Amino acid sequence: MNRPDWSAPPTYEEALDIARSLAADPDTLTPYRHQELETARYGRGFAFLQTIRNDHGNMDGYVLVATTAHGSGVLLPGERTIDAVIAEHLARAEHANRDIPDSELSVAHRVALEAYDIGLTCIDELPGRRAIDAETADYAAFVLIVLLRNHIPGASGRNILARNDSLMRSPTPGRRHTQPCPRCERPAIYLDSYPRAVCDHCRGRTTDRTGRPVTGFNTHLSGGMIAYYTDMIERSDGSASPHEECVEVTRTGACLIDGHPATMQEARFGGIVVQTAPDY
């Protein structure tokens, strides 16, 4: 169960409804009052204890519902307490909302942030873009793609960087991060195993053979792919609707981008990759 807006702290009743949907046995839930969690500057929410029954007996568990996340787990005797879970959650929330000083930003980060914060989708669109070497431009384009993928309404690019520590690491010298999209030549994330992978702009225009938009998803954590009709995933008013599978694309992976042949498949390490067809 998801709340429509995670930017505001949940009420107790909202948190309880979500906790019931996550609990192994909702009837065992009991509130665990924690003033620091319930009044936190970041990650505010509510915690609940639960009982998890299995073949080996009963185990203590928890459910945590907060502005930044919700989840549940087991409390192993002598190893983890609910107070420790809450402390870890609040530490992550503070870290994700930290201020990033200019001294931690490379030239590539600054170029990507400038483009993101003025609403651009490509660093080459920056007015009077400064001259930077090809390797720096490549990484800046990659950072911008990730910022756009992790867009948070009302949040600055720095806010998103703070939530993605991997982007703050220095890139490996000589490593390639982007490639020209084979459809439109916009920057696409470079994937060695998928040389025909398209950019996010083209990926968002995949259709079945009738022209109806489709979107691919993994069926489970270990892989698998299913294609749904995009207009049945989320409506323009933000309301969800029952998913309708596009059986043909799920079965064959064959799709179209602007009427041109393409393929959709599960990626090697998770996610879905869309490529132009080999004979394109």
PDB file of all heavy atoms in Angstrom, residues 135-172:
ATOM      1  N   GLU A 135      35.938  13.422 -21.551  1.00  0.00           N
ATOM      2  CA  GLU A 135      35.680  12.519 -20.438  1.00  0.00           C
ATOM      3  C   GLU A 135      34.801  13.185 -19.378  1.00  0.00           C
ATOM      4  O   GLU A 135      33.890  12.563 -18.829  1.00  0.00           O
ATOM      5  CB  GLU A 135      37.001  12.057 -19.816  1.00  0.00           C
ATOM      6  CG  GLU A 135      36.836  10.941 -18.798  1.00  0.00           C
ATOM      7  CD  GLU A 135      38.168  10.309 -18.408  1.00  0.00           C
ATOM      8  OE1 GLU A 135      39.074  10.245 -19.263  1.00  0.00           O
ATOM      9  OE2 GLU A 135      38.281   9.872 -17.258  1.00  0.00           O
ATOM     10  N   THR A 136      35.058  14.465 -19.109  1.00  0.00           N
ATOM     11  CA  THR A 136      34.236  15.201 -18.149  1.00  0.00           C
ATOM     12  C   THR A 136      32.821  15.371 -18.676  1.00  0.00           C
ATOM     13  O   THR A 136      31.841  15.216 -17.941  1.00  0.00           O
ATOM     14  CB  THR A 136      34.857  16.583 -17.855  1.00  0.00           C
ATOM     15  OG1 THR A 136      36.163  16.406 -17.303  1.00  0.00           O
ATOM     16  CG2 THR A 136      34.009  17.371 -16.867  1.00  0.00           C
ATOM     17  N   ALA A 137      32.692  15.693 -19.964  1.00  0.00           N
ATOM     18  CA  ALA A 137      31.366  15.858 -20.573  1.00  0.00           C
ATOM     19  C   ALA A 137      30.585  14.550 -20.525  1.00  0.00           C
ATOM     20  O   ALA A 137      29.369  14.547 -20.288  1.00  0.00           O
ATOM     21  CB  ALA A 137      31.511  16.339 -22.008  1.00  0.00           C
ATOM     22  N   ASP A 138      31.275  13.430 -20.741  1.00  0.00           N
ATOM     23  CA  ASP A 138      30.628  12.124 -20.706  1.00  0.00           C
ATOM     24  C   ASP A 138      30.055  11.851 -19.317  1.00  0.00           C
ATOM     25  O   ASP A 138      28.903  11.418 -19.179  1.00  0.00           O
ATOM     26  CB  ASP A 138      31.652  11.054 -21.086  1.00  0.00           C
ATOM     27  CG  ASP A 138      31.104   9.638 -20.940  1.00  0.00           C
ATOM     28  OD1 ASP A 138      30.098   9.324 -21.586  1.00  0.00           O
ATOM     29  OD2 ASP A 138      31.694   8.851 -20.169  1.00  0.00           O
ATOM     30  N   TYR A 139      30.845  12.122 -18.278  1.00  0.00           N
ATOM     31  CA  TYR A 139      30.358  11.863 -16.923  1.00  0.00           C
ATOM     32  C   TYR A 139      29.257  12.843 -16.536  1.00  0.00           C
ATOM     33  O   TYR A 139      28.285  12.470 -15.873  1.00  0.00           O
ATOM     34  CB  TYR A 139      31.498  11.924 -15.913  1.00  0.00           C
ATOM     35  CG  TYR A 139      31.088  11.417 -14.544  1.00  0.00           C
ATOM     36  CD1 TYR A 139      30.631  10.112 -14.389  1.00  0.00           C
ATOM     37  CD2 TYR A 139      31.136  12.234 -13.419  1.00  0.00           C
ATOM     38  CE1 TYR A 139      30.238   9.629 -13.147  1.00  0.00           C
ATOM     39  CE2 TYR A 139      30.757  11.764 -12.170  1.00  0.00           C
ATOM     40  CZ  TYR A 139      30.299  10.459 -12.034  1.00  0.00           C
ATOM     41  OH  TYR A 139      29.891   9.996 -10.816  1.00  0.00           O
ATOM     42  N   ALA A 140      29.372  14.104 -16.963  1.00  0.00           N
ATOM     43  CA  ALA A 140      28.325  15.091 -16.685  1.00  0.00           C
ATOM     44  C   ALA A 140      27.007  14.660 -17.316  1.00  0.00           C
ATOM     45  O   ALA A 140      25.932  14.779 -16.706  1.00  0.00           O
ATOM     46  CB  ALA A 140      28.739  16.464 -17.200  1.00  0.00           C
ATOM     47  N   ALA A 141      27.065  14.143 -18.539  1.00  0.00           N
ATOM     48  CA  ALA A 141      25.850  13.672 -19.211  1.00  0.00           C
ATOM     49  C   ALA A 141      25.242  12.502 -18.453  1.00  0.00           C
ATOM     50  O   ALA A 141      24.017  12.396 -18.310  1.00  0.00           O
ATOM     51  CB  ALA A 141      26.174  13.265 -20.643  1.00  0.00           C
ATOM     52  N   PHE A 142      26.089  11.608 -17.940  1.00  0.00           N
ATOM     53  CA  PHE A 142      25.622  10.464 -17.158  1.00  0.00           C
ATOM     54  C   PHE A 142      24.940  10.930 -15.874  1.00  0.00           C
ATOM     55  O   PHE A 142      23.848  10.457 -15.529  1.00  0.00           O
ATOM     56  CB  PHE A 142      26.802   9.553 -16.833  1.00  0.00           C
ATOM     57  CG  PHE A 142      26.494   8.468 -15.834  1.00  0.00           C
ATOM     58  CD1 PHE A 142      25.790   7.342 -16.225  1.00  0.00           C
ATOM     59  CD2 PHE A 142      26.911   8.579 -14.514  1.00  0.00           C
ATOM     60  CE1 PHE A 142      25.502   6.333 -15.303  1.00  0.00           C
ATOM     61  CE2 PHE A 142      26.625   7.584 -13.602  1.00  0.00           C
ATOM     62  CZ  PHE A 142      25.920   6.458 -13.989  1.00  0.00           C
ATOM     63  N   VAL A 143      25.573  11.854 -15.152  1.00  0.00           N
ATOM     64  CA  VAL A 143      24.997  12.363 -13.908  1.00  0.00           C
ATOM     65  C   VAL A 143      23.642  13.000 -14.179  1.00  0.00           C
ATOM     66  O   VAL A 143      22.675  12.802 -13.431  1.00  0.00           O
ATOM     67  CB  VAL A 143      25.949  13.358 -13.222  1.00  0.00           C
ATOM     68  CG1 VAL A 143      25.264  14.029 -12.032  1.00  0.00           C
ATOM     69  CG2 VAL A 143      27.229  12.659 -12.767  1.00  0.00           C
ATOM     70  N   LEU A 144      23.535  13.758 -15.258  1.00  0.00           N
ATOM     71  CA  LEU A 144      22.265  14.411 -15.583  1.00  0.00           C
ATOM     72  C   LEU A 144      21.180  13.367 -15.850  1.00  0.00           C
ATOM     73  O   LEU A 144      20.030  13.535 -15.416  1.00  0.00           O
ATOM     74  CB  LEU A 144      22.436  15.327 -16.791  1.00  0.00           C
ATOM     75  CG  LEU A 144      21.167  16.048 -17.266  1.00  0.00           C
ATOM     76  CD1 LEU A 144      20.542  16.874 -16.152  1.00  0.00           C
ATOM     77  CD2 LEU A 144      21.463  16.917 -18.482  1.00  0.00           C
ATOM     78  N   ILE A 145      21.510  12.298 -16.554  1.00  0.00           N
ATOM     79  CA  ILE A 145      20.524  11.245 -16.818  1.00  0.00           C
ATOM     80  C   ILE A 145      20.014  10.658 -15.508  1.00  0.00           C
ATOM     81  O   ILE A 145      18.804  10.457 -15.317  1.00  0.00           O
ATOM     82  CB  ILE A 145      21.126  10.136 -17.700  1.00  0.00           C
ATOM     83  CG1 ILE A 145      21.386  10.647 -19.115  1.00  0.00           C
ATOM     84  CG2 ILE A 145      20.189   8.924 -17.759  1.00  0.00           C
ATOM     85  CD1 ILE A 145      22.172   9.676 -19.987  1.00  0.00           C
ATOM     86  N   VAL A 146      20.925  10.381 -14.578  1.00  0.00           N
ATOM     87  CA  VAL A 146      20.526   9.795 -13.293  1.00  0.00           C
ATOM     88  C   VAL A 146      19.689  10.786 -12.486  1.00  0.00           C
ATOM     89  O   VAL A 146      18.709  10.396 -11.833  1.00  0.00           O
ATOM     90  CB  VAL A 146      21.754   9.330 -12.498  1.00  0.00           C
ATOM     91  CG1 VAL A 146      21.325   8.754 -11.148  1.00  0.00           C
ATOM     92  CG2 VAL A 146      22.531   8.285 -13.284  1.00  0.00           C
ATOM     93  N   LEU A 147      20.054  12.061 -12.517  1.00  0.00           N
ATOM     94  CA  LEU A 147      19.254  13.073 -11.826  1.00  0.00           C
ATOM     95  C   LEU A 147      17.830  13.098 -12.378  1.00  0.00           C
ATOM     96  O   LEU A 147      16.854  13.155 -11.619  1.00  0.00           O
ATOM     97  CB  LEU A 147      19.886  14.458 -11.980  1.00  0.00           C
ATOM     98  CG  LEU A 147      21.212  14.706 -11.259  1.00  0.00           C
ATOM     99  CD1 LEU A 147      21.752  16.089 -11.607  1.00  0.00           C
ATOM    100  CD2 LEU A 147      21.053  14.575  -9.750  1.00  0.00           C
ATOM    101  N   LEU A 148      17.699  13.042 -13.678  1.00  0.00           N
ATOM    102  CA  LEU A 148      16.374  13.067 -14.305  1.00  0.00           C
ATOM    103  C   LEU A 148      15.580  11.810 -13.961  1.00  0.00           C
ATOM    104  O   LEU A 148      14.366  11.879 -13.741  1.00  0.00           O
ATOM    105  CB  LEU A 148      16.517  13.206 -15.819  1.00  0.00           C
ATOM    106  CG  LEU A 148      17.058  14.552 -16.311  1.00  0.00           C
ATOM    107  CD1 LEU A 148      17.435  14.474 -17.785  1.00  0.00           C
ATOM    108  CD2 LEU A 148      16.025  15.657 -16.086  1.00  0.00           C
ATOM    109  N   ARG A 149      16.249  10.674 -13.910  1.00  0.00           N
ATOM    110  CA  ARG A 149      15.566   9.430 -13.563  1.00  0.00           C
ATOM    111  C   ARG A 149      15.068   9.435 -12.124  1.00  0.00           C
ATOM    112  O   ARG A 149      14.097   8.756 -11.788  1.00  0.00           O
ATOM    113  CB  ARG A 149      16.494   8.233 -13.767  1.00  0.00           C
ATOM    114  CG  ARG A 149      16.738   7.866 -15.205  1.00  0.00           C
ATOM    115  CD  ARG A 149      17.580   6.609 -15.320  1.00  0.00           C
ATOM    116  NE  ARG A 149      17.738   6.174 -16.699  1.00  0.00           N
ATOM    117  CZ  ARG A 149      18.376   5.074 -17.080  1.00  0.00           C
ATOM    118  NH1 ARG A 149      18.918   4.295 -16.154  1.00  0.00           N
ATOM    119  NH2 ARG A 149      18.460   4.745 -18.358  1.00  0.00           N
ATOM    120  N   ASN A 150      15.759  10.181 -11.256  1.00  0.00           N
ATOM    121  CA  ASN A 150      15.414  10.223  -9.836  1.00  0.00           C
ATOM    122  C   ASN A 150      14.740  11.528  -9.461  1.00  0.00           C
ATOM    123  O   ASN A 150      14.784  11.942  -8.302  1.00  0.00           O
ATOM    124  CB  ASN A 150      16.668  10.013  -8.987  1.00  0.00           C
ATOM    125  CG  ASN A 150      17.207   8.602  -9.081  1.00  0.00           C
ATOM    126  OD1 ASN A 150      16.769   7.715  -8.359  1.00  0.00           O
ATOM    127  ND2 ASN A 150      18.149   8.379  -9.992  1.00  0.00           N
ATOM    128  N   HIS A 151      14.101  12.151 -10.425  1.00  0.00           N
ATOM    129  CA  HIS A 151      13.455  13.452 -10.199  1.00  0.00           C
ATOM    130  C   HIS A 151      12.507  13.406  -9.004  1.00  0.00           C
ATOM    131  O   HIS A 151      11.712  12.476  -8.857  1.00  0.00           O
ATOM    132  CB  HIS A 151      12.672  13.862 -11.451  1.00  0.00           C
ATOM    133  CG  HIS A 151      11.848  15.094 -11.265  1.00  0.00           C
ATOM    134  ND1 HIS A 151      12.402  16.357 -11.161  1.00  0.00           N
ATOM    135  CD2 HIS A 151      10.504  15.266 -11.142  1.00  0.00           C
ATOM    136  CE1 HIS A 151      11.442  17.246 -11.006  1.00  0.00           C
ATOM    137  NE2 HIS A 151      10.281  16.613 -10.981  1.00  0.00           N
ATOM    138  N   ILE A 152      12.619  14.422  -8.155  1.00  0.00           N
ATOM    139  CA  ILE A 152      11.727  14.595  -7.010  1.00  0.00           C
ATOM    140  C   ILE A 152      11.074  15.961  -7.151  1.00  0.00           C
ATOM    141  O   ILE A 152      11.783  16.973  -7.190  1.00  0.00           O
ATOM    142  CB  ILE A 152      12.487  14.529  -5.679  1.00  0.00           C
ATOM    143  CG1 ILE A 152      13.222  13.192  -5.551  1.00  0.00           C
ATOM    144  CG2 ILE A 152      11.536  14.727  -4.506  1.00  0.00           C
ATOM    145  CD1 ILE A 152      14.152  13.131  -4.344  1.00  0.00           C
ATOM    146  N   PRO A 153       9.752  16.040  -7.275  1.00  0.00           N
ATOM    147  CA  PRO A 153       9.094  17.339  -7.432  1.00  0.00           C
ATOM    148  C   PRO A 153       9.503  18.316  -6.340  1.00  0.00           C
ATOM    149  O   PRO A 153       9.461  18.004  -5.154  1.00  0.00           O
ATOM    150  CB  PRO A 153       7.597  16.989  -7.337  1.00  0.00           C
ATOM    151  CG  PRO A 153       7.519  15.567  -7.788  1.00  0.00           C
ATOM    152  CD  PRO A 153       8.777  14.922  -7.281  1.00  0.00           C
ATOM    153  N   GLY A 154       9.949  19.496  -6.755  1.00  0.00           N
ATOM    154  CA  GLY A 154      10.333  20.530  -5.806  1.00  0.00           C
ATOM    155  C   GLY A 154      11.741  20.417  -5.259  1.00  0.00           C
ATOM    156  O   GLY A 154      12.205  21.316  -4.549  1.00  0.00           O
ATOM    157  N   ALA A 155      12.446  19.327  -5.570  1.00  0.00           N
ATOM    158  CA  ALA A 155      13.802  19.129  -5.046  1.00  0.00           C
ATOM    159  C   ALA A 155      14.837  19.619  -6.050  1.00  0.00           C
ATOM    160  O   ALA A 155      14.644  19.521  -7.261  1.00  0.00           O
ATOM    161  CB  ALA A 155      14.049  17.655  -4.737  1.00  0.00           C
ATOM    162  N   SER A 156      15.930  20.177  -5.542  1.00  0.00           N
ATOM    163  CA  SER A 156      17.012  20.618  -6.403  1.00  0.00           C
ATOM    164  C   SER A 156      17.873  19.427  -6.795  1.00  0.00           C
ATOM    165  O   SER A 156      17.765  18.340  -6.223  1.00  0.00           O
ATOM    166  CB  SER A 156      17.883  21.650  -5.682  1.00  0.00           C
ATOM    167  OG  SER A 156      18.613  21.027  -4.622  1.00  0.00           O
ATOM    168  N   GLY A 157      18.757  19.654  -7.762  1.00  0.00           N
ATOM    169  CA  GLY A 157      19.675  18.604  -8.152  1.00  0.00           C
ATOM    170  C   GLY A 157      20.551  18.160  -7.001  1.00  0.00           C
ATOM    171  O   GLY A 157      20.870  16.969  -6.870  1.00  0.00           O
ATOM    172  N   ARG A 158      20.952  19.086  -6.147  1.00  0.00           N
ATOM    173  CA  ARG A 158      21.792  18.712  -5.000  1.00  0.00           C
ATOM    174  C   ARG A 158      21.027  17.805  -4.038  1.00  0.00           C
ATOM    175  O   ARG A 158      21.610  16.911  -3.421  1.00  0.00           O
ATOM    176  CB  ARG A 158      22.292  19.962  -4.274  1.00  0.00           C
ATOM    177  CG  ARG A 158      23.321  20.742  -5.063  1.00  0.00           C
ATOM    178  CD  ARG A 158      24.036  21.754  -4.183  1.00  0.00           C
ATOM    179  NE  ARG A 158      24.815  22.687  -4.987  1.00  0.00           N
ATOM    180  CZ  ARG A 158      25.972  23.198  -4.614  1.00  0.00           C
ATOM    181  NH1 ARG A 158      26.481  22.875  -3.444  1.00  0.00           N
ATOM    182  NH2 ARG A 158      26.613  24.046  -5.377  1.00  0.00           N
ATOM    183  N   ASN A 159      19.726  18.056  -3.882  1.00  0.00           N
ATOM    184  CA  ASN A 159      18.921  17.182  -3.029  1.00  0.00           C
ATOM    185  C   ASN A 159      18.958  15.749  -3.539  1.00  0.00           C
ATOM    186  O   ASN A 159      19.034  14.796  -2.759  1.00  0.00           O
ATOM    187  CB  ASN A 159      17.466  17.659  -2.998  1.00  0.00           C
ATOM    188  CG  ASN A 159      17.290  19.018  -2.352  1.00  0.00           C
ATOM    189  OD1 ASN A 159      16.442  19.801  -2.757  1.00  0.00           O
ATOM    190  ND2 ASN A 159      18.100  19.317  -1.343  1.00  0.00           N
ATOM    191  N   ILE A 160      18.905  15.595  -4.860  1.00  0.00           N
ATOM    192  CA  ILE A 160      18.903  14.253  -5.442  1.00  0.00           C
ATOM    193  C   ILE A 160      20.290  13.624  -5.339  1.00  0.00           C
ATOM    194  O   ILE A 160      20.427  12.431  -5.067  1.00  0.00           O
ATOM    195  CB  ILE A 160      18.426  14.310  -6.901  1.00  0.00           C
ATOM    196  CG1 ILE A 160      17.008  14.882  -6.958  1.00  0.00           C
ATOM    197  CG2 ILE A 160      18.462  12.924  -7.540  1.00  0.00           C
ATOM    198  CD1 ILE A 160      16.513  15.163  -8.351  1.00  0.00           C
ATOM    199  N   LEU A 161      21.341  14.424  -5.533  1.00  0.00           N
ATOM    200  CA  LEU A 161      22.699  13.908  -5.358  1.00  0.00           C
ATOM    201  C   LEU A 161      22.894  13.358  -3.949  1.00  0.00           C
ATOM    202  O   LEU A 161      23.539  12.331  -3.755  1.00  0.00           O
ATOM    203  CB  LEU A 161      23.723  15.015  -5.617  1.00  0.00           C
ATOM    204  CG  LEU A 161      24.180  15.280  -7.046  1.00  0.00           C
ATOM    205  CD1 LEU A 161      25.243  16.369  -7.057  1.00  0.00           C
ATOM    206  CD2 LEU A 161      24.715  14.013  -7.701  1.00  0.00           C
ATOM    207  N   ALA A 162      22.338  14.057  -2.961  1.00  0.00           N
ATOM    208  CA  ALA A 162      22.502  13.635  -1.577  1.00  0.00           C
ATOM    209  C   ALA A 162      21.879  12.272  -1.331  1.00  0.00           C
ATOM    210  O   ALA A 162      22.275  11.557  -0.403  1.00  0.00           O
ATOM    211  CB  ALA A 162      21.882  14.674  -0.637  1.00  0.00           C
ATOM    212  N   ARG A 163      20.920  11.887  -2.145  1.00  0.00           N
ATOM    213  CA  ARG A 163      20.243  10.600  -1.998  1.00  0.00           C
ATOM    214  C   ARG A 163      20.894   9.508  -2.847  1.00  0.00           C
ATOM    215  O   ARG A 163      20.443   8.366  -2.836  1.00  0.00           O
ATOM    216  CB  ARG A 163      18.771  10.736  -2.388  1.00  0.00           C
ATOM    217  CG  ARG A 163      17.948  11.564  -1.396  1.00  0.00           C
ATOM    218  CD  ARG A 163      16.620  11.990  -2.002  1.00  0.00           C
ATOM    219  NE  ARG A 163      15.710  12.541  -1.015  1.00  0.00           N
ATOM    220  CZ  ARG A 163      15.789  13.765  -0.506  1.00  0.00           C
ATOM    221  NH1 ARG A 163      16.761  14.573  -0.914  1.00  0.00           N
ATOM    222  NH2 ARG A 163      14.921  14.189   0.385  1.00  0.00           N
ATOM    223  N   ASN A 164      21.924   9.858  -3.605  1.00  0.00           N
ATOM    224  CA  ASN A 164      22.573   8.901  -4.493  1.00  0.00           C
ATOM    225  C   ASN A 164      24.087   8.980  -4.312  1.00  0.00           C
ATOM    226  O   ASN A 164      24.801   9.597  -5.105  1.00  0.00           O
ATOM    227  CB  ASN A 164      22.188   9.184  -5.949  1.00  0.00           C
ATOM    228  CG  ASN A 164      20.735   8.907  -6.241  1.00  0.00           C
ATOM    229  OD1 ASN A 164      20.350   7.797  -6.593  1.00  0.00           O
ATOM    230  ND2 ASN A 164      19.895   9.927  -6.090  1.00  0.00           N
ATOM    231  N   ASP A 165      24.569   8.356  -3.253  1.00  0.00           N
ATOM    232  CA  ASP A 165      25.986   8.444  -2.904  1.00  0.00           C
ATOM    233  C   ASP A 165      26.903   7.964  -4.017  1.00  0.00           C
ATOM    234  O   ASP A 165      28.027   8.450  -4.163  1.00  0.00           O
ATOM    235  CB  ASP A 165      26.276   7.640  -1.638  1.00  0.00           C
ATOM    236  CG  ASP A 165      25.832   8.362  -0.379  1.00  0.00           C
ATOM    237  OD1 ASP A 165      25.631   9.595  -0.451  1.00  0.00           O
ATOM    238  OD2 ASP A 165      25.670   7.712   0.654  1.00  0.00           O
ATOM    239  N   SER A 166      26.434   6.999  -4.813  1.00  0.00           N
ATOM    240  CA  SER A 166      27.303   6.467  -5.864  1.00  0.00           C
ATOM    241  C   SER A 166      27.691   7.545  -6.868  1.00  0.00           C
ATOM    242  O   SER A 166      28.771   7.487  -7.466  1.00  0.00           O
ATOM    243  CB  SER A 166      26.616   5.309  -6.591  1.00  0.00           C
ATOM    244  OG  SER A 166      25.425   5.747  -7.219  1.00  0.00           O
ATOM    245  N   LEU A 167      26.833   8.546  -7.048  1.00  0.00           N
ATOM    246  CA  LEU A 167      27.141   9.624  -7.994  1.00  0.00           C
ATOM    247  C   LEU A 167      28.216  10.563  -7.468  1.00  0.00           C
ATOM    248  O   LEU A 167      28.824  11.300  -8.240  1.00  0.00           O
ATOM    249  CB  LEU A 167      25.882  10.444  -8.304  1.00  0.00           C
ATOM    250  CG  LEU A 167      24.833   9.798  -9.194  1.00  0.00           C
ATOM    251  CD1 LEU A 167      23.696  10.780  -9.441  1.00  0.00           C
ATOM    252  CD2 LEU A 167      25.429   9.339 -10.515  1.00  0.00           C
ATOM    253  N   MET A 168      28.446  10.554  -6.158  1.00  0.00           N
ATOM    254  CA  MET A 168      29.418  11.451  -5.576  1.00  0.00           C
ATOM    255  C   MET A 168      30.831  10.883  -5.627  1.00  0.00           C
ATOM    256  O   MET A 168      31.798  11.586  -5.355  1.00  0.00           O
ATOM    257  CB  MET A 168      29.046  11.771  -4.124  1.00  0.00           C
ATOM    258  CG  MET A 168      27.745  12.547  -3.979  1.00  0.00           C
ATOM    259  SD  MET A 168      27.789  14.129  -4.875  1.00  0.00           S
ATOM    260  CE  MET A 168      29.133  14.962  -4.038  1.00  0.00           C
ATOM    261  N   ARG A 169      30.953   9.603  -5.983  1.00  0.00           N
ATOM    262  CA  ARG A 169      32.285   9.020  -6.098  1.00  0.00           C
ATOM    263  C   ARG A 169      32.959   9.498  -7.374  1.00  0.00           C
ATOM    264  O   ARG A 169      32.302   9.786  -8.376  1.00  0.00           O
ATOM    265  CB  ARG A 169      32.198   7.495  -6.113  1.00  0.00           C
ATOM    266  CG  ARG A 169      31.488   6.898  -4.903  1.00  0.00           C
ATOM    267  CD  ARG A 169      31.636   5.385  -4.872  1.00  0.00           C
ATOM    268  NE  ARG A 169      30.772   4.799  -3.857  1.00  0.00           N
ATOM    269  CZ  ARG A 169      29.707   4.060  -4.123  1.00  0.00           C
ATOM    270  NH1 ARG A 169      29.388   3.812  -5.388  1.00  0.00           N
ATOM    271  NH2 ARG A 169      28.972   3.559  -3.147  1.00  0.00           N
ATOM    272  N   SER A 170      34.262   9.575  -7.355  1.00  0.00           N
ATOM    273  CA  SER A 170      35.000   9.976  -8.553  1.00  0.00           C
ATOM    274  C   SER A 170      34.886   8.881  -9.600  1.00  0.00           C
ATOM    275  O   SER A 170      35.012   7.691  -9.285  1.00  0.00           O
ATOM    276  CB  SER A 170      36.476  10.228  -8.229  1.00  0.00           C
ATOM    277  OG  SER A 170      36.610  11.265  -7.284  1.00  0.00           O
ATOM    278  N   PRO A 171      34.621   9.241 -10.859  1.00  0.00           N
ATOM    279  CA  PRO A 171      34.500   8.214 -11.899  1.00  0.00           C
ATOM    280  C   PRO A 171      35.826   7.508 -12.152  1.00  0.00           C
ATOM    281  O   PRO A 171      36.896   8.086 -11.971  1.00  0.00           O
ATOM    282  CB  PRO A 171      34.042   9.013 -13.127  1.00  0.00           C
ATOM    283  CG  PRO A 171      34.545  10.400 -12.876  1.00  0.00           C
ATOM    284  CD  PRO A 171      34.442  10.605 -11.393  1.00  0.00           C
ATOM    285  N   THR A 172      35.743   6.262 -12.562  1.00  0.00           N
ATOM    286  CA  THR A 172      36.938   5.501 -12.894  1.00  0.00           C
ATOM    287  C   THR A 172      37.572   6.068 -14.156  1.00  0.00           C
ATOM    288  O   THR A 172      36.891   6.186 -15.184  1.00  0.00           O
ATOM    289  CB  THR A 172      36.591   4.015 -13.122  1.00  0.00           C
ATOM    290  OG1 THR A 172      35.944   3.509 -11.947  1.00  0.00           O
ATOM    291  CG2 THR A 172      37.832   3.204 -13.416  1.00  0.00           C
TER     292      THR A 172
END
